Amino acid sequence: ALALFVYAAAFSFAYAGLPAAPGALVLFGCVQGTMIGYGLWSGERLRGGQWGGLLLALGGLLWLLLPGLSAPPPGRAALMACAGIAWGTYSLRGRETADPTGATAGNFVRAVPLAVGLSAVLFARASVDRAGSWEAVASGALTSAIGYIVWYTALPSLTATTAATVQLSVPVIAASGGVLFLGESVTWRLAGTSLAILGGVGWFITSRKQIAQQPGGV
């Protein structure tokens, strides 16, 4: 619950003054560093094909974000780094749960007092309107909660490094949503980066399966 709160709060305040592309790169870099670092520390090992898939996916992410990159404000970048570490921690803890729905509901409930406390501290700067309130409820209590339940359901069957790599597909999913629902155009760069990211994720997963099938594979 604490990791969930730190992720949501730091992410929100970071993006109040951080361009989208640098923010995403800092966030995903810290998520990958946290989860893959923990996986290697706990005994997981990456072989050649897995490293190749991970680097291809990371390269695709950098290519996707590169045209919008600029030097981010240090304070906001530090907040986004905290958000990435917190999300990596939240994901790692999810690998231990046997009840994804109950765990997610409990995390949300326990995070409420922390969110209320932070809101009270910043009450003088509060700005509330009806549309924003409904959008917040729909985004947090519905779509995010469902997504977290699905993620916690998948995590117990994934290693830390695999879970970290799979998350690199999120920018592609978001970009696809922009094309489908917001009328954004499909560009060659979007198509190429999507192929690189998804191809890298697929290469990583396939390599891991091949290693697991070998005698003594982990």
Side-chain angles (χ1 to χ4, degrees):
L2 177 60
L4 175 62
F5 166 74
V6 171
Y7 161 72
F11 180 93
S12 299
F13 285 108
Y15 259 143
L18 196 63
L25 196 58
V26 172
L27 176 69
F28 279 92
C30 290
V31 171
Q32 308 310 307
T34 299
M35 297 189 68
I36 292 176
Y38 174 82
L40 296 176
W41 177 79
S42 63
E44 296 178 18
R45 293 293 178 265
L46 299 182
R47 307 294 177 87
Q50 291 175 297
W51 280 115
L54 176 61
L55 292 176
L56 178 59
L58 287 172
L61 174 66
L62 183 61
W63 183 18
L64 176 65
L65 301 174
L66 190 59
L69 288 181
S70 59
R76 303 288 182 175
L79 279 173
M80 189 60 81
C82 290
I85 294 170
W87 180 254
T89 302
Y90 185 81
S91 297
L92 290 169
R93 292 299 302 270
R95 296 171 63 231
E96 304 170 2
T97 184
D99 180 14
T101 302
T104 300
N107 291 334
F108 270 62
V109 169
R110 288 189 293 274
V112 167
L114 300 173
V116 171
L118 181 60
S119 297
V121 171
L122 301 174
F123 182 76
R125 301 172 56 186
S127 175
V128 181
D129 60 72
R130 181 177 299 178
S133 298
W134 282 113
E135 289 169 358
V137 170
S139 174
L142 297 178
T143 55
S144 291
I146 293 172
Y148 293 0
I149 291 172
V150 173
W151 184 230
Y152 261 32
T153 301
L155 279 171
S157 60
L158 302 176
T159 65
T161 52
T162 300
T165 305
V166 167
Q167 290 188 91
L168 289 172
S169 63
V170 172
V172 176
I173 297 171
S176 300
V179 172
L180 292 174
F181 302 112
L182 301 179
E184 297 179 359
S185 59
V186 179
T187 64
W188 284 109
R189 183 171 63 86
L190 176 59
T193 55
S194 297
L195 287 174
I197 293 172
L198 296 180
V201 172
W203 185 8
F204 183 98
I205 294 173
T206 301
S207 298
R208 181 176 180 274
K209 288 182 178 179
Q210 291 174 347
I211 292 172
Q213 291 171 357
Q214 296 174 359
V218 178

